[in-house]
């Protein structure tokens, strides 16, 4: 069975926590997109792990993880991450494989990324990890794939500096290399999780272009870049927060207004620990944008939604969510493509009553108070998809499964 988990907003929805949770029942975990721009957090008791490249199933001792064909891999970042895991007692050897079609991020791409940002009239606010450069080079057909590390003819075409860099890592990378299509054919009876990075609104095609990342972070990415085709995907799960966050620049219709909602913004940021895992930047915060969520649900054929961070609203008397936009006087109910429209969009908000109870100890749906259920029911009706899992804290056990995705429907 193949389950795809993607972010349904602008990233940082809690994909790492959810993939880690679901990985208990999986044999394989394949991360299909992005690179060291991602930061996926997993909390196990007092230990917190920030994963950038390694798939989120790695903390179980028996799971096989694969860095998929759509990923762009910075070997320095990868081996630093693996060393971090090893120093904390995670035995990863033999359990971290890399698709031989994945592309390599060279150190100079990081510099080029920063330089491009510095000269952009309207910077994107990239993570500076060389991601956009790596995907551009890939699209220009000048990229270096893992498989190319064994291709003397290809290596001979490179600049000395790049060749020397690759030579430093080839010996360690090549034993991890795998033909992902063949590997998944051999493991076709395994339960496999496909872990997305970033989110639907940061995807190069479905996102708020040009304020996006450069990879495929929508569900189709799992098919194009995860070693399977679209018809092999059994379910798509879309993870979203009870509110919305965004790091970097670009339109954000429900963003809290610093003058009138500054205190609310600080409250959400501090309670939800909304600081970037990769760059440490404070995340921009706003109410849940249901127009954007419904767009993500349809753009990705999301079968089931995963709601995270519901606990962050525990102490609020009331809160709101966006059900339409007003754009230059016109009411709009579908997520616009134009950045200008998105920038001009004023949210039409609907009020919800708070539950004023701590959800952190809830373990089943029956433990959830009525007001919170009403919020969830409204989301399901609006987004036209069931909320199958609700997360009420960052710990593994703070996860309420209403319907296990591993059951066939
Ligand atoms: P990802 O990039 O989608 O994996 O998400 P990040 O790890 O960047 O950010 C999510 C943050 O929220 C992390 O600090 C998680 O530990 C935390 N988190 C995940 N789920 C929940 C939840 O339900 N409630 C709270 N309060 N925190 C959560
Ligand atoms: P995870 O997987 C949130 C954002 C950056 C920037 C834009 C382009 O943790 O959800 P890039 O460096 O990719 O060229 O930056 O995309 N961005 C993310 N925001 N979560 C992420 O990953 C992100 N990866 C990239 O902040 O706005
Ligand atoms: Mg993140």
């Amino acid at each position: 069975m193949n389950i795809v988990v993607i972010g349904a907003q602008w990233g940082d929805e809690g994909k790492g926590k959810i993939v880690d949770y679901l990985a208990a029942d999986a044999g394989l975990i394949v991360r299909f997109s992005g690179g060291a721009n991602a930061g996926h957090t997993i909390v196990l008791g007092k230990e917190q792990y920030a994963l950038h490249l390694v798939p989120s199933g790695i903390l179980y001792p028996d799971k096989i993880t694969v860095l998929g064909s759509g990923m762009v891999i910075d070997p320095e970042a990868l081996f630093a991450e693996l060393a971090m895991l090893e120093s904390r007692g995670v035995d990863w050897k033999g359990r971290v494989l890399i698709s031989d079609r994945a592309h390599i991020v060279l150190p100079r791409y990081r510099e080029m990324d920063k330089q491009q940002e510095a000269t952009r009239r309207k910077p994107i606010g990239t993570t500076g990890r060389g991601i956009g450069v790596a995907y551009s080079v890939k699209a220009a057909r000048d990229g270096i794939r893992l498989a190319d590390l064994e291709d003397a003819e290809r290596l001979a075409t490179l600049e000395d500096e790049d060749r020397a860099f690759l030579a430093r890592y080839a010996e360690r990378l090549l034993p991890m290399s795998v033909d992902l299509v063949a590997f998944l054919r051999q493991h076709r009876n395994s339960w496999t999780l496909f872990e997305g990075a970033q989110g639907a609104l940061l995807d190069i095609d479905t996102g708020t272009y040009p304020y996006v990342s450069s990879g495929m972070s929508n569900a189709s990415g799992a098919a194009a870049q995860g070693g399977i085709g679209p018809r092999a995907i059994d379910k798509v799960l879309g993870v979203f927060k009870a509110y919305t966050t965004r790091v970097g620049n670009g339109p954000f219709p429900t963003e809290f207004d610093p003058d009138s909602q500054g205190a609310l913004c600080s409250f959400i940021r501090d309670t939800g620990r909304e600081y970037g895992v990769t760059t440490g930047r404070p995340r921009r915060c706003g109410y849940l944008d249901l127009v954007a969520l419904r767009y993500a649900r349809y753009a990705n054929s999301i079968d089931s939604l995963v709601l995270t961070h519901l606990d962050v609203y525990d102490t609020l008397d009331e809160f709101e969510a966006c059900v339409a936009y007003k754009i230059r006087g016109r009411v709009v109910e579908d997520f616009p493509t134009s950045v200008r429209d998105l920038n001009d969009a004023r949210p039409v908000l609907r009020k919800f009553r708070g539950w004023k109870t701590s959800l952190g100890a809830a373990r089943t749906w029956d433990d959830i108070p009525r007001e919170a259920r009403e919020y969830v029911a409204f989301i399901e009706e609006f987004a036209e998809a069931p909320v199958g899992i609700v997360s009420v804290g960052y710990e593994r056990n703070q996860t309420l499964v209403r319907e296990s995705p591993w059951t066939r429907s």
Side-chain angles (χ1 to χ4, degrees), residues 29 33 54-55 86 110 129 139 172 224 231 279 297 332 387:
I29 301 91
S33 69
V54 176
E86 204 166 312
R110 294 196 298 256
R129 298 296 190 272
R172 279 189 280 168
R231 280 163 47 76
T279 58
R297 178 254 182 271
V332 172
V387 172

Side-chain angles (χ1 to χ4, degrees), residues 34-287:
N37 50 348
H40 296 179
T41 314
I42 301 167
V43 180
L44 295 184
K46 288 199 170 62
E47 295 289 316
Q48 176 165 317
Y49 298 85
L51 300 175
H52 301 283
L53 288 160
V54 176
S56 295
I58 194 65
L59 300 180
Y60 296 85
D62 55 337
K63 310 294 175 191
I64 306 288
T65 67
V66 189
L67 282 71
S69 311
M71 287 189 71
V72 288
I73 297 163
D74 175 339
E76 286 179 357
L78 176 63
F79 288 108
E81 193 168 320
L82 292 171
M84 175 277 288
L85 288 170
E86 204 166 312
S87 73
R88 296 172 73 179
V90 179
D91 184 11
W92 60 268
K93 292 214 173 83
R95 297 197 298 118
V96 179
L97 307 174
I98 311 175
S99 165
D100 59 5
R101 290 188 162 85
H103 281 244
I104 308 258
V105 175
L106 295 171
R108 63 186 168 82
Y109 295 178
R110 294 196 298 256
E111 294 315 309
M112 289 162 74
D113 183 357
K114 288 175 198 150
Q115 263 165 27
Q116 283 176 0
E117 276 287 275
T119 53
R120 271 196 182 103
R121 278 186 46 234
K122 291 191 173 172
I124 292 162
T126 72
T127 58
R129 298 296 190 272
I131 304 300
V133 177
Y135 282 115
S136 311
V137 171
K138 171 181 175 177
R141 290 146 299 173
D142 291 323
I144 303 150
R145 300 171 308 164
L146 207 60
D148 300 330
L149 298 182
E150 287 183 300
D151 181 344
E153 246 178 68
R154 173 74 181 103
L155 293 174
T157 63
L158 302 178
E159 299 291 333
D160 290 348
E161 189 192 338
D162 295 346
R163 203 172 32 248
F165 174 80
L166 295 171
R168 275 210 300 285
Y169 288 98
E171 232 171 82
R172 279 189 280 168
L173 284 169
L174 284 170
M176 298 162 80
S177 158
V178 67
D179 173 342
L180 186 53
V181 174
F183 182 79
L184 290 181
R185 174 166 56 78
Q186 285 150 18
H187 290 84
R188 61 183 169 280
N189 294 324
S190 287
W191 283 11
T192 304
L193 265 179
F194 292 85
E195 177 182 18
Q198 290 78 56
L201 303 179
L202 285 172
D203 175 85
I204 186 80
D205 289 293
T206 60
T208 48
Y209 190 90
Y211 298 97
V212 291
S213 189
S214 303
M216 284 179 82
S217 44
N218 60 14
S220 322
Q225 313 189 318
I228 51 166
R231 280 163 47 76
I233 297 173
D234 293 289
K235 270 181 203 167
V236 177
L237 308 190
V239 186
F240 73 107
K241 281 175 177 157
Y243 46 94
T244 312
T245 62
R246 172 160 208 174
V247 210
N249 302 326
F252 184 173
T254 63
E255 183 167 20
F256 292 133
D257 174 56
D259 297 326
S260 59
Q261 295 171 305
L264 178 60
C265 184
S266 306
F267 169 79
I268 299 286
R269 186 175 287 145
D270 293 340
T271 312
R273 308 200 290 183
E274 296 298 354
Y275 294 87
V277 181
T278 300
T279 58
R281 291 179 289 182
R283 295 178 181 146
R284 299 159 66 193
C285 301
Y287 279 133

